[in-house]
Amino acid sequence: MGCLFCNIIKGEVPSTKIYENERTYAFEDINPLAPVHILVISKTHIKNIDELEESNASVMADLFLAVREVARIKGIDADGYRVIINNGAAGGQVIWHLHVHVLGGLPDLGPMLAL
Ligand code: AMP
Ligand code: ZN
């Protein structure tokens, strides 16, 4: 089966690239929940936060620096935006490759949680 997001990084599954550097890749979410909805992933496969340790923790800095670039590229940096990581089943994670959602493009994104 393999990992969908690893296959996107390899170019074996198509995606709309927004930003890329040596260690990260950012692309349009296929099912956008806001006018701007970008996913930022590490080129290193890490399942989620549970797999972070001292030796790979720099991945988080790489991801958030890429988030900043994405926000600039999409023009939502000045107004503000929301950053979400769904971690584990109860957190709503369905793709088991650590990723950051970047959501914006509205004057107000509404309540943090809609339970
Ligand atoms: P999560 O629930 O945090 O695991 O989020 C997975 C996200 O991946 C969802 O927002 C999906 O819409 C998105 N997604 C699934 N498949 C693709 C794909 N092929 N290209 C882009 N985004 C995808
Ligand atoms: Zn992967």
Side-chain angles (χ1 to χ4, degrees), residues 2 16 21 24 30 35 38 43 47 49 65 72-73 90 98-99:
T16 303
N21 66 19
T24 63
I30 204 167
I38 309 301
K43 291 185 176 177
K47 182 184 76 175
I49 291 170
L65 287 169
R72 286 177 178 162
I73 290 165
L98 177 61
H99 55 280

Side-chain angles (χ1 to χ4, degrees), residues 35-72:
V36 174
H37 187 172
I38 309 301
L39 299 176
V40 180
I41 61 180
S42 166
K43 291 185 176 177
T44 306
H45 179 93
I46 294 175
K47 182 184 76 175
N48 62 21
I49 291 170
D50 305 337
E51 280 193 356
L52 283 176
E53 45 191 57
E54 291 288 340
S55 63
N56 62 16
S58 63
V59 160
M60 293 312 271
D62 293 333
L63 286 174
F64 282 93
L65 287 169
V67 166
R68 191 187 62 175
E69 291 305 320
V70 164
R72 286 177 178 162

